[in-house]
Structure formats: structure tokens, C-alpha cells
Amino acid sequence: DTGVSQDPRHKITKRGQNVTFRCDPISEHNRLYWYRQTLGQGPEFLTYFQNEAQLEKSRLLSDRFSAERPKGSFSTLEIQRTEQGDSAMYLCASSLLPGSGNTIYFGEGSWLTVV
Amino acid sequence: AQSVTQLGSHVSVSEGALVLLRCNYSSSVPPYLFWYVQYPNQGLQLLLKYTTGATLVKGINGFEAEFKKSETSFHLTKPSAHMSDAAEYFCAVSEGDTGFQKLVFGTGTRLLVSP
């Protein structure tokens, strides 16, 4: 069990460019979550998957954002036409299905800086 | 809707002193409650969680928290602070097994430990 891994850890991009982040969850974890954390704030929920199905999206997830989990394993989060307000850390997390308060495990995050 | 309030964006203690980080929550359903720790440029690590049962919960690194339903609180304590405890601490609430486990985080408390 290697934990939740995210790639890249850091990304600097120019405004208007597209970026993609990848998340590999803990193996056999059915649920995968994306959160966004800006400086001085707690993480905010963006979206989550159960297996390959995207079951909920936050209103924070504008139409420039798209997330996929095509085979129910790894996930990608793409941001199109980046804006400076997108600068944040994007956190991925995973868990088993609900039951007995299953723990949500977080990755180390992907920092995005839009210049 | 659920929410979390963490009182004090910064808490300063001396090494060996008691650590007390405050968290109050709001939830319309029986909550699950969590404390996570975040070191600089890192993801979130679970310290402890309350789901059901015993209201005094013990976690890693000597931390514990007590769920007080009447006060809607889940304060984090540690009898004796260590320099390595300096980090950002986040309290979070979820809807428990009846919900889809979305975590709602507070804005965090930065713990500073002086020699």
C-alpha cells in the first residue's frame, strides 16, 4: 500500500493554458475525491467518484474543470483556460465505500501556480 | 448543511505545555468528526476520528479529542507539546454513513511551538 499519489507535485503555467493533474488512489479504494485548497483556507470539496461514476460535483467546479476516472482506478483533473484564481493546491483522496466510518486518505497534493 | 468553526487561526504554546485547539460544528444529522494535520507543502494526515461509541477518541502522536454533543464541540488536546507538533490542524465534519462522506473543513489553526 503506497498511499494516494499525485502527479505533478508542482505546476507553473501561463494564464489561458490547460493543465492536467493525475491521481492514483490506494488500490481497491472505490471512492476518489478531489478537493481544492487555497492559501490560508481549509480544503473545499470539488467532486467525487464511486468507481468510474462521477456522483457529485460542487458548484466550485466550473465548466472549465473536468474530472474523469475512466476505469475506476486513477483519475485526472483537467483545468482548461486557466485563470489566476485557479492557483491553489489540488488534493486527491480515496476511501472504501461507507461503513464504519471508513477513513478518507489524502495525497500530498498538486500545487498549481497560474502566472 | 454542515459547517465547522475553528476558533483561533494561530495558537502559540511552549514546548511541554498543554495544546488545546478548538472546533465547533453544525450538522443536521449525526456527524462524523475528524482532525487532520498538515505539514508545510504536504497533504493531510488523519490524527483521529469520531464515528460512534466512546466520545473520547485517542489518535496518533499523543493527541485526543472529545465529542460533546450538547456543546457541538470536538476540541483537540495534547498534554505536552513537542516541537514536531508545529503544523496546521484542520477539523472536519461529514454526514457519516448515511451520507456520501463529503468532508467539510474548518479554516484551520496553525500551531506554533516555542522552545
Side-chain angles (χ1 to χ4, degrees), chain A residues 9 31 33 35 37 40-43 45 48 56 89 95-96 98-104 106-108 111, chain B residues 32 34 36 38 41-46 49 51 88 90 96-97 99-108:
Chain A
R9 293 291 316 280
R31 289 197 166 175
Y33 311 80
Y35 285 78
Q37 185 179 18
Q41 299 296 318
F45 170 79
Y48 93 102
E56 183 152 340
M89 181 161 68
S95 72
L96 293 168
S100 303
N102 283 327
T103 300
I104 296 177
F106 284 82
E108 297 202 333
W111 277 105
Chain B
Y32 284 5
F34 307 81
Y36 282 85
Q38 186 175 40
N41 299 317
Q42 300 291 318
L44 301 170
Q45 180 182 9
L46 180 68
K49 65 181 180 182
T51 55
E88 188 92 23
F90 292 96
D97 286 347
F100 73 91
Q101 293 181 293
K102 180 181 76 173
L103 290 171
V104 176
F105 287 87
T107 53

Side-chain angles (χ1 to χ4, degrees), chain A residues 19-81:
Chain A
V19 297
T20 299
F21 299 110
R22 176 182 169 121
C23 171
D24 287 273
I26 295 172
S27 60
E28 299 181 354
H29 275 194
N30 311 88
R31 289 197 166 175
L32 186 148
Y33 311 80
W34 286 99
Y35 285 78
R36 181 173 69 185
Q37 185 179 18
T38 54
L39 285 175
Q41 299 296 318
E44 297 174 291
F45 170 79
L46 292 179
T47 188
Y48 93 102
F49 293 83
Q50 183 164 310
N51 300 314
E52 66 275 9
Q54 188 173 16
L55 297 187
E56 183 152 340
K57 294 191 290 186
S58 163
R59 58 179 171 78
L60 294 175
L61 212 66
S62 75
D63 55 7
R64 296 184 299 104
F65 288 70
S66 63
E68 295 182 343
R69 194 183 184 196
K71 296 183 179 180
S73 57
F74 73 91
S75 175
T76 57
L77 177 69
E78 180 183 18
I79 309 174
Q80 296 181 326
R81 305 180 304 280

Side-chain angles (χ1 to χ4, degrees), chain B residues 50-57 67:
Chain B
Y50 167 79
T51 55
T52 58
T55 56
L56 181 62
V57 180
F67 170 59

Side-chain angles (χ1 to χ4, degrees), chain A residues 9-25:
Chain A
R9 293 291 316 280
H10 301 274
K11 179 73 175 179
I12 300 174
T13 191
K14 292 183 178 180
R15 188 176 54 183
Q17 297 295 305
N18 299 344
V19 297
T20 299
F21 299 110
R22 176 182 169 121
C23 171
D24 287 273

Side-chain angles (χ1 to χ4, degrees), chain B residues 27-38:
Chain B
S27 179
S28 57
V29 299
Y32 284 5
L33 293 158
F34 307 81
W35 276 99
Y36 282 85
V37 62
Q38 186 175 40

